[in-house]
Amino acid sequence: GLPLVLIEAMKRGVPVVATNAGGVAELGEDNLDVTITSNTEWSDFVNALKEMITKVESNQIDSRRLIDWTENRYGFEKVSSLWLKALFETDAFFQLG
């Protein structure tokens, strides 16, 4: 799955470092303010964390950009419209038939 705590942090402009487990990889898609490792190895996570520290210290993280990215992808309007389509236009949503 996708831990909601990561999305909650991002909606507050807090950069995320995480391993590529479950659905987490999608948080790094076209997202400059998040670092997702390519696997779940501890050493890779430590390296990613060091990379994020460098980004934070050099002002490469843009909290507003991160908030906007998260809202566009996981905000109420986006998610609720997808749920409505899944519930009321099931065949089209799931491309059935």
Side-chain angles (χ1 to χ4, degrees):
L2 181 59
L4 290 180
V5 69
L6 300 178
I7 295 171
E8 290 167 350
M10 292 167 41
K11 283 192 63 97
R12 299 286 185 252
V14 177
V16 168
V17 176
T19 61
N20 184 10
V24 174
E26 71 182 56
L27 297 180
E29 293 174 3
D30 301 320
N31 192 343
L32 301 173
D33 304 304
V34 168
T35 301
I36 308 298
T37 65
S38 60
N39 56 51
T40 58
E41 296 295 322
W42 179 249
S43 60
D44 289 345
F45 177 79
V46 170
N47 290 334
L49 190 57
K50 289 177 182 177
E51 177 185 318
M52 182 59 74
I53 290 169
T54 300
K55 285 182 172 182
V56 169
E57 290 177 341
S58 61
N59 294 317
Q60 294 178 42
I61 300 300
D62 183 337
S63 294
R64 182 77 254 165
R65 177 177 60 205
L66 181 56
I67 292 166
D68 291 344
W69 185 96
T70 308
E71 185 64 29
N72 288 333
R73 192 149 183 164
Y74 298 103
F76 177 79
E77 294 298 322
K78 177 70 173 185
V79 173
S80 64
S81 67
L82 289 172
W83 270 107
L84 288 171
K85 188 170 183 177
L87 292 170
F88 296 111
E89 301 172 39
T90 308
D91 289 348
F93 183 81
F94 293 104
Q95 299 176 354
L96 302 174

